[in-house]
Amino acid sequence: MDSAVPGLGQAYHILFIGALVFLAVMVILCLIRAIIGPRIADRIVAVNMMGTMVMVIIAILALLLEEGYLVDICLIYAMISFLAVIILTKVYLGVYTEWKQHGRKDGV
């Protein structure tokens, strides 16, 4: 990230480090939300947010370290995270509909 403006590279470095620290704190907060819930939907959203933030962290590291292969890892992680959230949602909907059907049978 060399440019004609002196000190711009260092400013970008500080900005990237600050963004990484902020995102790390946000991932920890999302992990806490995923653990304490209280609903399963909250947990699924928290896991999805963590996946998105990890992708941004990997992309920032790709810029900071100037390593192109990290972008490929970020794309692969995006696909895996998307599939994981879809599977968690399908499982949740299956459990919810089964619970709803058994709840109606017990109430009748």
Side-chain angles (χ1 to χ4, degrees):
M1 283 186 258
D2 293 332
S3 67
V5 180
L8 189 60
Q10 185 178 7
Y12 275 129
H13 185 75
I14 292 171
L15 178 70
F16 289 154
I17 297 298
L20 288 173
V21 169
F22 176 74
L23 286 169
V25 169
M26 295 306 291
V27 167
I28 291 171
L29 291 175
C30 282
L31 181 63
I32 292 170
R33 172 52 65 194
I35 291 172
I36 63 173
R39 295 176 299 213
I40 295 178
D42 295 331
R43 292 182 172 112
I44 291 174
V45 170
V47 167
N48 191 19
M49 286 178 60
M50 284 181 1
T52 303
M53 284 188 277
V54 168
M55 286 183 283
V56 174
I57 288 172
I58 293 171
I60 290 173
L61 284 174
L63 284 172
L64 189 63
L65 301 174
E66 297 176 0
E67 297 289 342
Y69 68 89
L70 287 175
V71 177
D72 297 333
I73 292 172
C74 184
L75 290 172
I76 292 169
Y77 188 84
M79 289 185 282
I80 292 172
S81 177
F82 173 73
L83 288 175
V85 169
I86 293 298
I87 290 170
L88 284 172
T89 305
K90 291 289 256 183
V91 168
Y92 170 65
L93 285 176
V95 168
Y96 178 75
T97 54
E98 184 178 325
W99 175 79
K100 194 84 161 171
Q101 289 172 353
H102 287 307
R104 287 185 182 162
K105 287 181 182 177
D106 292 341
V108 172

